Amino acid sequence: ATIWVTAAVGMTFGSGALGFGTLITATMMLVLWVFPFIERAIDRVREEDSYTIVFDVKKLHKIAQIEAGMRANKLHVIRQAYFKRGLDMHAHVTAIGKPGQHEAFRATLMTDNEIKELIYH
């Protein structure tokens, strides 16, 4: 987007609209300097993590437990998919929440002996 705005600013100056070009340049610089601070502030209170949780296909009750764990930790699920591979069930879940809520959810999963594999990022 920065490249397109820069091209537009160049065309604005080239057409002789110096005042408008200066205004656009100042606005663009403000956005490029200020928004990273705003983005970091948002990241401190909101984080999106994806989880892949593998468990035995005979333990389908884990799906309800995973969903209950998300609700208990106040994580908002935005995507989820479940599929069977061999004798394993794979749950792929993406959720939004505060970093501490994700940490609490992961701690719960880490202590669950029925979970064979946990991948998160």
Side-chain angles (χ1 to χ4, degrees):
T2 304
I3 292 170
W4 287 101
V5 171
T6 303
V9 168
M11 290 173 40
T12 303
F13 280 117
S15 70
L18 301 179
F20 189 58
T22 302
L23 177 66
I24 293 172
T25 300
T27 303
M28 183 177 72
M29 297 306 288
L30 180 69
V31 167
L32 290 174
W33 285 335
V34 172
F35 273 43
F37 295 106
I38 295 170
E39 185 178 358
R40 281 192 288 276
I42 290 170
D43 286 344
R44 284 193 294 273
V45 297
R46 180 193 169 278
E47 182 176 278
E48 179 180 314
D49 282 350
S50 295
Y51 299 89
T52 299
I53 305 162
V54 181
F55 52 93
D56 193 303
V57 74
K58 295 177 185 174
K59 307 213 183 254
L60 290 179
H61 66 279
K62 293 301 310 166
I63 293 173
Q65 288 178 348
I66 291 166
E67 292 172 352
M70 292 259 179
R71 282 191 304 277
N73 287 291
K74 298 179 181 157
L75 295 174
H76 176 68
V77 176
I78 56 174
R79 275 184 304 280
Q80 60 187 9
Y82 301 96
F83 66 92
K84 178 182 176 273
R85 182 180 290 155
L87 298 175
D88 291 334
M89 193 71 180
H90 292 245
H92 294 287
V93 183
T94 302
I96 295 173
K98 293 181 180 178
Q101 293 166 327
H102 283 285
E103 290 171 15
F105 178 64
R106 286 191 292 265
T108 303
L109 295 175
M110 293 288 200
T111 60
D112 190 333
N113 293 330
E114 293 181 339
I115 292 178
K116 293 181 176 182
E117 185 176 340
L118 170 64
I119 302 169
Y120 59 90
H121 52 88

